[in-house]
Amino acid sequence: MSRPDELQPLFRSLHSIKGVGDKLAALLTKFFGAPGGQEAIVLDILMHMPSGVVDRRRQVGIAEAYLNQIVTLKLHIDRHQPPPRGKLHVPHRVFAHDETGELSLVFFRAQGGWVEKALPVGEERYVSGKVDFFNGQKQITHPDYIVEAEKFAELPLVEPVYPLTSGLSSKALAKLVRQSVEIIPELPEWIDAETMRQRKWPNFAQAMREVHLPENPDQGQLWSPARQRLAYDEYLAGQITLQLVRSTMVAQKGKSRTFNGSITSRVAAALPFSLTDGQNQALEEIRADLASPDRMSRLLQGDVGSGKTVVALMSMAAMAESGAQSALMAPTELLASQHFKTIQPLAEAAGLGCALLTGKMPAAEKRKILAGLADGSIHIALGTHALFQSGVAFHNLGLTVVDEQHRFGVHQRLALSDKGRDTDLLVMTATPIPRTLVLTHFGDMAVSVLKEKPRGRQPIDTAVLSINDYGRVINRLIARLGEGAQAYWVCPLVEESEFIQVVSAEDRFAELQKVFGDQVALVHGRMSAAAKQEVMARFKANEIKLLVATTVIEVGVDVPNATIMIIEHAERFGLAQLHQLRGRVGRGSQRSACLLLFKEPLSETAQARLETIKSTEDGFEIAERDLDLRGQGDVLGTRQSGMPGYRVAVPDVHRHLLEFAHDDAKALMQRNPGLTGPDGEAARTLLYLFRKDLAIPLIRAG
Ligand code: ADP
Ligand code: MG
């Protein structure tokens, strides 16, 4: 079941391509963001899609080359006019003509005589670039291409344009792309012939060729048959992976668990609060899953602070009651140890063994824990994916809880080795995911949702105000701080530059200092971690009343006494961000307020966003609205949401293909669950091409 031999050339190191040394390989690895920091491979170049196409096919004479047009001209070189000595700001000018007119070629700071060499007087050259004017004369400044007459074929008349990074020129990348396209092997076809015919799709290799080496500009566009096919391929690979995960999760028989309440009641008694209705309901759903003979595969969704940890703990306690162990896997060691701090005392109070296993712990300690896992004296194990590495053996693992926080997708679930996959599974996510996306990203997992916040939390009054009301805002703020409240003042998001954002925060800080004196402090992303922490500590200790901040406060800040959140230029923030920011207040028992200051004019969508935030605190409703307002592409693609990005598919354009891919993957897995025979082989090839190797071992034999 290993990777088919014919794919080997695409999985070779970039070094196998002419012109790639260590430096370029490292640069490309970083640029392509190869999974898990592995070295980028040839395939990564193919998957780096053009962002547009330049059309150089306009081969007219000089007379018909118009301003701002990209043209390709055959020029006779007449004369060079280098800049006078020492005058670097004067360009090197080359005069040329054809039968229809005259034109000059302009080069700034051209040193070392390369221009003379590239354009010898008396010879002919093909030159391609954009036409501009200077003193009423036609010229091309810094032509894109200069080639000798007999090398015309080397000039790409239709040229894809790629996203680049510093140190990577478009010409260097084009060379790599050309070589990579050439080595794409013949592959079995995973799309049925009828579909191919109907949609006029080329095969994979041909599609890559058309996208990367287009013969006409249409071939390189997002809606071209070639690009659509590749987008569909990417979706299909993702959907087959989901189907595989689902079938392994759901198809296998689980154990029917029984509970007598002896341990869960002790945990409940140790809690300093009683469970909310929502928590109780989620627990009931989980217990029903565990009691049924089918394996559990359930998603528990709830905003940060909604109380998922307790639900996980109670589920694990129930598992212990039925005589089996549980493991909770967190995405980072920090989160794992946070969970441990919360869970360990409660578990102990109920007489349960609980341990944290991390990669860094001393060998002796680790051995002790491994022994406890193997003999069953540890009932609840916490850690990162290290929990499922070889060398860790459980006595009787019954439940795996995966805390995905803001990361998504099947990757964590795939990382569970066989030990984890044979157990009941509970996945927790902290970012509300719209229902439609749950369907495509979590297959058919059952879903429990924690909607209400734990008791004692007050609703937040949200108001939307124009910045023109600044004076009134300040007066209210003076009054509220006088009453003992604390407030955040979040400065505008500046997309273009973090630097400008800091400057604007500093300006606002200086402005507010005039009013509030040393009651106000500033925190921003450019400060050292220590300086930030110091400011935050003083705010938490109530030595500072007003904290002016950039978006650094979005995550991980917990100051219950802070009850006012002012967001300046709120119209620039996305819904998810506004929701996160507002979540910084309303954490104590006091009533909180959130003030969204906007600057006119307000666009229609900005207005809709602010209205949404004002009208609801429900993260799920906000996420659904976000989807409506921005389209799936953004919700899926942004780093904030943590959803896996697509490399080829652009959801805003190709979304309809996701539905097809979903249905087709389902049909394939029903027809051929073992992925055997020719169409099974082809599907496996597809999975390798889109780096879903982790899914391959999930394919059931036979
Ligand atoms: P999540 O993991 O969903 O982000 P947590 O489980 O960490 O949220 O809970 C957030 C906070 O709420 C914790 O301090 C927790 O002790 C508290 N909490 C959880 N459930 C309740 C409840 N039913 N009543 C009061 N406080 C609760
Ligand atoms: Mg949590």
Side-chain angles (χ1 to χ4, degrees):
M1 287 232 288
S2 63
R3 192 161 61 219
D5 283 341
E6 73 255 26
L7 289 182
Q8 235 40 48
L10 300 180
F11 283 79
R12 275 198 208 123
S13 142
L14 290 177
H15 289 92
S16 65
I17 294 187
K18 220 172 76 200
V20 182
D22 291 345
K23 208 170 132 209
L24 186 54
L27 181 81
L28 291 170
T29 293
K30 193 158 161 248
F31 182 46
F32 293 145
Q38 295 150 287
E39 202 197 331
I41 55 174
V42 176
L43 188 59
D44 289 311
I45 294 179
L46 292 174
M47 294 296 177
H48 186 60
M49 290 284 121
S51 52
V53 183
V54 176
D55 186 357
R56 306 185 180 285
R57 289 174 307 168
R58 200 173 154 75
Q59 297 176 66
V60 291
I62 291 173
E64 281 179 76
Y66 302 122
L67 178 67
N68 285 335
Q69 262 179 359
I70 290 176
V71 294
T72 300
L73 302 169
K74 189 177 190 185
L75 298 177
H76 187 87
I77 310 302
D78 298 322
R79 182 165 66 86
H80 281 253
Q81 186 186 76
R85 193 171 288 277
K87 301 222 162 170
L88 283 176
H89 60 282
V90 177
H92 184 128
R93 205 168 268 279
V94 183
F95 297 91
H97 76 271
D98 66 9
E99 303 92 83
T100 68
E102 297 180 344
L103 169 144
S104 61
L105 304 170
V106 179
F107 302 86
F108 287 90
R109 308 184 75 89
Q111 279 154 34
W114 70 266
V115 177
E116 284 87 345
K117 226 180 276 161
L119 296 162
V121 171
E123 294 194 16
E124 285 191 318
R125 289 290 183 272
Y126 281 98
V127 173
S128 186
K130 194 197 246 174
V131 179
D132 61 277
F133 274 75
F134 183 74
N135 281 345
Q137 303 291 317
K138 281 180 193 176
Q139 61 178 28
I140 295 177
T141 307
H142 293 170
D144 302 323
Y145 289 92
I146 301 171
V147 301
E148 294 162 33
E150 57 274 19
K151 292 194 180 156
F152 179 69
E154 284 178 17
L155 201 158
L157 289 180
V158 179
E159 185 182 33
V161 196
Y162 295 90
L164 296 170
T165 181
S166 127
L168 178 66
S169 73
S170 60
K171 276 184 197 158
L173 181 58
K175 266 196 202 137
L176 306 181
V177 166
R178 193 171 289 272
Q179 293 182 66
S180 309
V181 168
E182 270 164 21
I183 58 174
I184 303 176
E186 276 306 311
L187 299 170
E189 183 56 69
W190 46 84
I191 304 177
D192 67 86
E194 179 57 19
T195 305
M196 295 276 286
R197 200 181 54 73
Q198 268 178 13
R199 297 184 191 158
K200 299 195 169 56
W201 280 354
N203 68 31
F204 180 84
Q206 180 60 22
M208 279 291 180
R209 215 166 291 136
E210 288 182 15
V211 164
H212 286 298
L213 308 172
E215 279 166 15
N216 63 65
D218 285 345
Q219 287 181 331
Q221 305 294 353
L222 287 175
W223 51 86
S224 72
R227 184 64 180 268
Q228 296 223 23
R229 186 227 146 101
L230 296 174
Y232 169 86
D233 287 345
E234 187 171 39
Y235 285 140
L236 185 65
Q239 291 299 314
I240 293 175
T241 302
L242 269 179
Q243 293 291 331
L244 282 168
V245 172
R246 196 196 72 179
S247 61
T248 29
M249 297 290 179
V250 180
Q252 288 174 24
K253 280 243 169 283
K255 285 210 174 70
S256 179
R257 307 278 174 185
T258 52
F259 316 105
N260 58 20
S262 61
I263 296 176
T264 43
S265 63
R266 267 186 275 162
V267 174
L271 288 174
F273 46 72
S274 54
L275 297 182
T276 63
D277 292 345
Q279 285 168 325
N280 274 323
Q281 190 188 332
L283 264 177
E284 240 165 70
E285 288 162 356
I286 291 165
R287 262 197 292 253
D289 283 354
L290 299 180
S292 106
D294 292 332
R295 292 228 345 254
M296 174 167 81
S297 181
R298 183 169 285 276
L299 180 67
L300 175 63
Q301 291 199 68
D303 259 348
V304 172
S306 61
K308 296 184 293 294
T309 315
V310 182
V311 175
L313 169 60
M314 291 292 283
S315 309
M316 295 191 289
M319 203 31 115
E321 221 167 76
S322 81
Q325 295 167 291
S326 300
L328 191 160
M329 178 169 81
T332 64
E333 297 213 337
L334 187 76
L335 280 163
S337 72
Q338 265 178 32
H339 280 310
F340 182 68
K341 277 196 200 114
T342 313
I343 287 175
Q344 200 269 342
L346 295 163
E348 195 164 282
L352 294 177
C354 177
L356 174 69
L357 184 72
T358 71
K360 292 194 197 95
M361 68 187 3
E365 203 177 326
K366 191 165 182 176
R367 262 199 307 278
K368 225 177 81 192
I369 291 173
L370 290 179
L373 293 175
D375 69 20
S377 59
I378 294 173
H379 304 93
I380 296 178
L382 307 171
T384 61
H385 59 277
L387 278 175
F388 293 97
Q389 267 153 14
S390 56
V392 183
F394 289 87
H395 175 65
N396 178 15
L397 184 63
L399 170 65
T400 303
V401 182
V402 182
D403 185 5
E404 293 194 331
Q405 287 290 325
H406 301 286
R407 306 182 186 202
F408 283 101
V410 292
H411 293 280
Q412 261 88 340
R413 276 168 276 152
L414 287 174
L416 302 173
S417 62
D418 294 332
K419 302 175 231 205
R421 277 202 303 273
D422 288 338
T423 68
D424 286 303
L425 179 73
L426 179 66
V427 176
M428 308 196 288
T429 72
T431 299
I433 311 167
R435 219 173 315 111
T436 44
L437 297 191
V438 170
L439 275 182
T440 45
H441 285 263
F442 293 88
D444 282 359
M445 286 184 97
V447 179
S448 296
V449 175
L450 294 182
K451 280 215 160 186
E452 41 170 353
K453 295 267 169 71
R455 261 188 281 278
R457 304 261 170 88
Q458 299 271 349
I460 303 168
D461 300 316
T462 301
V464 180
L465 268 185
S466 162
I467 187 77
N468 295 336
D469 286 321
Y470 182 76
R472 265 176 56 205
V473 172
I474 295 297
N475 286 336
R476 281 288 298 144
L477 199 52
I478 293 171
R480 294 293 308 275
L481 298 194
E483 292 158 17
Q486 284 181 283
Y488 297 99
W489 188 300
V490 177
C491 288
L493 188 70
V494 181
E495 291 281 344
E496 308 85 65
S497 150
E498 193 196 337
F499 176 72
I500 300 176
Q501 187 177 2
V502 169
V503 169
S504 83
E506 278 167 347
D507 287 351
R508 177 57 71 212
F509 171 63
E511 204 53 43
L512 290 168
Q513 227 176 3
K514 286 184 202 155
V515 183
F516 297 99
D518 57 8
Q519 287 192 316
V520 53
L522 172 67
V523 61
H524 61 69
R526 290 252 164 141
M527 289 163 57
S528 71
K532 267 189 284 197
Q533 265 165 24
E534 200 227 300
V535 174
M536 292 311 305
R538 283 171 56 216
F539 187 58
K540 200 159 180 159
N542 206 353
E543 292 164 28
I544 295 166
K545 301 289 178 198
L546 178 59
L547 186 67
V548 179
T550 55
T551 42
V552 292
I553 58 156
E554 202 178 325
V555 282
V557 175
D558 189 17
V559 182
N561 192 50
T563 52
I564 301 170
M565 167 64 65
I566 298 170
I567 304 175
E568 196 176 335
H569 269 303
E571 77 280 1
R572 292 192 193 165
F573 293 85
L575 270 177
Q577 231 172 351
L578 290 171
H579 178 61
Q580 290 288 332
L581 284 169
R582 181 172 56 183
R584 298 300 109 204
V585 296
R587 312 195 130 227
S589 48
Q590 308 269 25
R591 210 171 166 89
S592 292
C594 173
L595 206 53
L596 305 170
L597 293 178
F598 67 88
K599 190 170 171 191
E600 284 152 295
L602 208 49
S603 75
E604 228 168 85
T605 40
Q607 192 172 349
R609 278 203 300 271
L610 299 184
E611 281 302 318
T612 301
I613 288 289
K614 184 171 149 57
S615 66
T616 179
E617 270 187 66
D618 180 339
F620 293 93
E621 210 174 310
I622 290 170
E624 295 280 354
R625 283 292 291 148
D626 209 11
L627 190 64
D628 292 346
L629 289 174
R630 294 197 301 169
Q632 186 163 328
D634 276 313
V635 179
L636 283 174
T638 53
R639 260 173 292 144
Q640 268 169 341
S641 71
M643 285 285 192
Y646 293 104
R647 304 185 70 176
V648 179
V650 176
D652 283 344
V653 179
H654 301 129
R655 190 181 326 179
H656 62 291
L657 297 171
L658 177 59
E659 312 277 322
F660 291 132
H662 178 77
D663 296 347
D664 294 346
K666 210 164 171 172
L668 172 68
M669 294 307 294
Q670 266 161 15
R671 192 171 70 232
N672 185 0
L675 294 185
T676 54
D679 70 333
E681 288 299 320
R684 285 167 198 244
T685 300
L686 171 71
L687 292 177
Y688 281 114
L689 283 174
F690 285 89
R691 313 299 290 271
K692 305 290 185 193
D693 319 22
L694 277 170
I696 303 278
L698 301 186
I699 300 168
R700 272 183 295 149

